[in-house]
Amino acid sequence: MTTDPDKQELLIVTGMSGAGRSTVANALEDLGWYVVDNLPPQILRPLVELVERAGTTLPKIAAVVDIRGRDLFGDFRETVQALQSGIQVRVVFLEARDDVLVRRFESVRRPHPLQGEGTLLDGIAAERARLLPVRESSDIVIDTSDLNVHQLATSTTELFAAEGTAGVQVTVMSFGFKYGLPTDVDMVADARFLPNPFWIPELRGHTGQDSEVRDFVLSQPGASDFIDRYAAALEPVLSGYQRENKRHATIGIGCTGGKHRSVAMARELASRLEKLPGVVVKIKHRDLGRE
């Protein structure tokens, strides 16, 4: 759906219980957003009407809604579309791995809201199933599994503090397949078609950030051709994101350990994408230093 960037905005913050909604809400407040926490879904429509009447006299508004607002989650797509009238509505979905959520609930000694007479995992599984349509409809998905509260607050600030500076903010993320696919990426590319510098003794101790490894990786047959074609394929995608007001995109590039090939290729791809109009690029190396 195409939206008008000049419209007043409502941001719906939702996702898995224990994934960090309160941390995101606090970070948004620090950025000047007016945050309504634990908002009953029935109040969303009156809130939208208030925002429409107030126009630009109100700051950007974020509504934090959790699984207890069951009426909202029943027909989520329809609900958001109905709210899209004179204002712009976006959805941020927070998630985390099951083991992380269990640990967080146990640390505060609180039951899961859907746990009932079952276990914590039973409640998490029920919530994850119920929220699947919401996740699929969300504009931004943030996996908080490996983030502490300070890192999550920083990520929120990076996402929303400078939104006016670009049509779309792109994160190019390197990662290692042996540590699992990242869940918060929009597109994934595989750099394992290239020879692995790990097997070259003089390169093993270096990373894709070092010129020795970068030059080796980019000189391999197919490396430059892949970057050229992938960057060219992404250009109309990112232009489309800007037209549809999708302001954030994460592109993952993986290799075996996330140390050599993916790091070098991510840096090279980022250097191509940052030349595109209306695009701001940052690089994240998820697994660098993890070995």
Side-chain angles (χ1 to χ4, degrees):
M1 178 181 297
T2 303
T3 53
D4 184 349
D6 294 327
K7 287 183 179 179
Q8 179 63 291
E9 180 173 7
L10 170 65
L11 188 69
I12 299 176
V13 180
T14 187
M16 297 293 295
S17 301
R21 292 188 305 262
S22 296
T23 299
V24 170
N26 292 336
L28 289 172
E29 281 190 335
D30 291 341
L31 291 174
W33 289 66
Y34 184 84
V35 179
V36 185
D37 203 357
N38 293 325
L39 185 73
Q42 297 86 352
I43 308 300
L44 276 173
R45 290 181 185 277
L47 180 63
V48 168
E49 294 172 359
L50 174 64
V51 173
E52 288 178 328
R53 288 197 300 268
T56 58
T57 61
L58 278 179
K60 292 183 176 181
I61 296 179
V64 182
V65 182
D66 62 27
I67 191 62
R68 289 170 292 182
R70 299 185 181 185
D71 293 343
L72 172 67
F73 297 114
D75 298 300
F76 186 76
R77 292 185 182 88
E78 292 77 6
T79 300
V80 172
Q81 288 175 356
L83 295 174
Q84 296 268 20
S85 52
I87 71 168
Q88 173 183 329
V89 180
R90 288 193 295 162
V91 181
V92 175
F93 188 93
L94 304 176
E95 65 179 4
R97 299 189 305 269
D98 287 359
D99 62 303
V100 174
L101 294 175
V102 168
R103 186 167 64 249
R104 290 174 182 174
F105 273 102
E106 288 179 341
S107 68
V108 296
R109 299 182 180 181
R110 292 180 58 193
H112 189 279
L114 296 185
Q115 181 175 340
E117 299 299 321
T119 66
L120 269 173
L121 280 174
D122 292 334
I124 291 170
E127 182 179 35
R128 201 177 293 282
R130 186 174 296 176
L131 292 182
L132 182 58
V134 181
R135 186 191 187 284
E136 292 176 344
S137 302
S138 297
D139 299 286
I140 303 170
V141 177
I142 304 175
D143 187 338
T144 70
S145 299
D146 299 317
L147 303 177
N148 60 36
V149 292
H150 306 293
Q151 292 168 330
L152 178 55
T154 298
S155 296
T156 303
T157 300
E158 290 175 348
L159 280 171
F160 295 101
E163 286 198 325
T165 63
V168 60
Q169 299 175 58
V170 176
T171 299
V172 180
M173 177 194 298
S174 71
F175 69 92
F177 279 98
K178 72 177 184 180
Y179 300 115
L181 278 168
T183 59
D184 52 347
V185 294
D186 299 288
M187 292 158 279
V188 174
D190 188 348
R192 291 176 296 182
F193 70 93
L194 298 169
N196 192 347
F198 178 85
W199 301 114
I200 301 175
E202 58 267 29
L203 297 180
R204 181 176 300 175
H206 293 279
T207 75
Q209 292 183 308
D210 297 320
S211 59
E212 299 94 329
V213 173
R214 184 173 63 252
D215 293 345
F216 172 83
V217 170
L218 296 177
S219 67
Q220 297 305 308
S224 294
D225 191 32
F226 171 82
I227 291 293
D228 290 341
R229 296 189 183 193
Y230 195 34
L234 288 171
E235 183 172 359
V237 174
L238 297 179
S239 295
Y241 279 8
Q242 293 182 63
R243 289 193 301 272
E244 295 300 312
N245 205 39
K246 179 175 172 60
R247 300 184 185 180
H248 308 93
T250 302
I251 301 166
I253 299 183
C255 63
T256 303
K259 178 180 179 180
H260 296 109
R261 293 166 290 180
S262 63
V263 173
M265 296 291 275
R267 287 167 57 92
E268 185 66 16
L269 179 64
S271 70
R272 306 290 183 90
L273 297 182
E274 66 185 5
K275 299 175 183 177
L276 300 178
V279 175
V280 167
V281 181
K282 67 176 182 178
I283 303 175
K284 178 179 180 181
H285 302 303
R286 191 193 72 173
D287 299 321
L288 192 60
R290 189 168 180 176
E291 72 285 342

